[in-house]
Amino acid sequence: ETGVTQSPTHLIKTRGQQVTLRCSSQSGHNTVSWYQQALGQGPQFIFQYYREEENGRGNFPPRFSGLQFPNYSSELNVNALELDDSALYLCASSERQNYGYTFGSGTRLTVV
Amino acid sequence: AQSVSQHNHHVILSEAASLELGCNYSYGGTVNLFWYVQYPGQHLQLLLKYFSGDPLVKGIKGFEAEFIKSKFSFNLRKPSVQWSDTAEYFCAVNAGGSNYKLTFGKGTLLTVNP
C-alpha cells in the first residue's frame, strides 16, 4: 500500500491570497474526501469526490472548491484566504464500498 | 444533522491502568462507527470500525469498542494501557447510504505516564 500522500506539508499564505493543496489517493481507492482540522478540534468535513464529481459537501463556503482527476488524485482550492482558514487540511481516500478511510498526514496552512 | 460527543477532553493514566473513552452520537438511523488515533506528529489511523453484526468490535493494538444502540454510544476500551498509547483519540460516525461524510468528535487526549 502506498498510503495517502499530501503536499505541501506546510504553507504560509497572506490573507486574500489563493492556495492549492494536493492529495494522491491510496492505490485502488476511487473516493477522496477533504477535512479541515482546526487546533483542538476534530476534523470537519469539507467535501467528497467520487469519479471526478463532488459527492457531498459540508458547511463550507463556495470559495472552497476541489477537483478529482482520472487517476483519483485530488486538489483542494481555497480562494480569498481568511485568517480563520488557518488549520490542518486532511485528505482521506476510500473504496466506495467498504468505508475504509485512509488519511494523509495533512497540510498545515497558516494564513497571516 | 449527526453529531458526536466525546466526554473527556484529557485523560491521564498510569501504565497498566484500564481505559474507557466515552463517545455518544446523535442520529436516529443506521450508522457506521469509527475510532481513529493520532499519535504525536503522525496522521490519523483507524483503530476499529463497526458497520453491523457483533456490537463488540476488536481493533488493533488491543483496543475494543462496544456499540450500544439504545444509548447511542460507542465507547473505546483497553484493559491495560502502555506509554506508547499516548495519543489523541477521535470517535467518528457516518450515517451510511450514499453519504460518506464522517462526523468527528472533538477528540480525547490520552496521556499515559510510565
Side-chain angles (χ1 to χ4, degrees), chain A residues 33 35 37 40-45 48 55 88 90 96-105, chain B residues 9 32 34 36 38 43-44 46 49 51 90 94 96-102 104-107:
Chain A
S33 303
Y35 289 80
Q37 186 176 14
Q41 301 293 318
Q44 297 283 316
F45 176 75
Q48 183 181 87
N55 188 38
L88 181 67
L90 299 170
R96 187 170 174 83
Q97 300 300 320
N98 74 0
Y99 301 90
Y101 299 91
T102 302
F103 281 82
S105 297
Chain B
H9 178 64
N32 301 315
F34 305 80
Y36 280 86
Q38 191 168 33
H43 61 278
L44 280 167
L46 181 65
K49 58 189 177 186
F51 292 163
F90 293 93
N94 165 267
S98 61
N99 180 357
Y100 291 77
K101 165 187 173 183
L102 277 178
F104 284 85
K106 291 187 175 182

Side-chain angles (χ1 to χ4, degrees), chain B residues 67-104:
Chain B
F67 170 51
I68 303 179
K69 188 175 181 180
S70 61
K71 295 184 178 180
F72 298 89
S73 70
F74 190 56
N75 292 354
L76 181 71
R77 300 195 293 247
K78 186 171 184 178
S80 176
V81 295
Q82 301 172 318
W83 175 79
S84 59
D85 293 324
T86 295
E88 189 147 25
Y89 293 79
F90 293 93
C91 180
V93 63
N94 165 267
S98 61
N99 180 357
Y100 291 77
K101 165 187 173 183
L102 277 178
T103 299
F104 284 85

